[in-house]
Amino acid sequence: MQYQYVKERLDYSDLSSGKVFYSLPGHPAFPVRLSSEIFQHCLAIREATYKVSNPYVLYDPCCGAGYSLSVLGYLHGEKIQQLIGSDVDEKAVALAKQNLGLLNISGLHNRMHEISEMLRLYGKESHKEALASSRVLQNRIASLNKDHPITTKVFQASVFDRKTILENITGKSVDIVFTDIPY
């Protein structure tokens, strides 16, 4: 695939699943660079079609652990008003709430405390690196929150459960549906 928007290969290691973001076996992380490329392509289409560039509402009906939504929040938060995710799997929804919670200072602070405690208990280099990455993310969130905080919502629903989905996104205009469907 020829990248139009993310032409440079950047270091996304601070955004690695399982480093600061929570992970769960069976819920692989979608590639960061590809997520960014697809999102920016969606923005270009919306802005060309509707001639608007407001902060957008993204919805992922198969959000899994919420990793893609969370990463997009960090990378493109200035273009995002709200991130909404749903999944049929109860454990995935719980993890998605934790990951999307890392888009606010208090959620990230709690995660930094967890990582600090693991570093104290086990002294692993990986925990030291995760703590350093969480500080990078903390600076980014502080910067984003100056303009506007990104709101998040996660709920449990099957993609075929129209009633539950509509109950949870009623009154909101979803601008972009962004998902990595299950295999």
Side-chain angles (χ1 to χ4, degrees), residues 51-64:
K51 309 292 185 234
V52 295
S53 60
N54 300 338
Y56 297 103
V57 176
L58 273 71
Y59 173 51
D60 185 344
C62 304
C63 74

Side-chain angles (χ1 to χ4, degrees), residues 37-174:
E37 177 72 18
I38 293 169
F39 176 72
Q40 289 180 76
H41 188 75
C42 291
L43 289 182
I45 291 169
R46 281 208 48 91
E47 290 171 5
T49 304
Y50 299 104
K51 309 292 185 234
V52 295
S53 60
N54 300 338
Y56 297 103
V57 176
L58 273 71
Y59 173 51
D60 185 344
C62 304
C63 74
Y67 179 73
S68 292
L69 287 176
S70 300
V71 165
L72 289 174
Y74 273 99
L75 292 177
H76 302 287
E78 62 281 342
K79 294 277 192 176
I80 297 171
Q81 174 185 336
Q82 184 175 31
L83 296 167
I84 305 171
S86 65
D87 201 281
V88 70
D89 183 334
E90 184 179 342
K91 288 180 183 176
V93 168
L95 204 59
K97 286 178 183 179
Q98 287 182 293
N99 278 329
L100 288 168
L102 299 175
L103 291 167
N104 69 58
I105 295 295
S106 64
L108 192 54
H109 183 265
N110 290 341
R111 181 62 171 153
M112 291 172 77
H113 179 72
E114 290 173 1
I115 295 169
S116 295
E117 186 61 17
M118 288 187 289
L119 179 60
R120 185 187 70 75
L121 290 171
Y122 307 111
K124 289 185 174 182
E125 187 64 29
S126 61
H127 296 141
K128 191 182 293 186
E129 291 170 6
L131 197 55
S133 290
S134 64
R135 289 187 187 106
V136 170
L137 300 180
Q138 184 179 36
N139 290 336
R140 175 69 176 143
I141 286 302
S143 174
L144 286 171
N145 282 336
K146 286 180 188 173
D147 295 329
H148 70 276
I150 300 170
T151 60
T152 62
K153 180 175 186 167
V154 183
F155 59 96
Q156 186 175 359
S158 163
V159 293
F160 303 109
D161 185 354
R162 183 175 189 259
K163 182 178 181 273
T164 302
I165 291 170
L166 290 176
E167 286 172 355
N168 281 279
I169 59 175
T170 296
K172 294 178 178 49
S173 172
V174 172

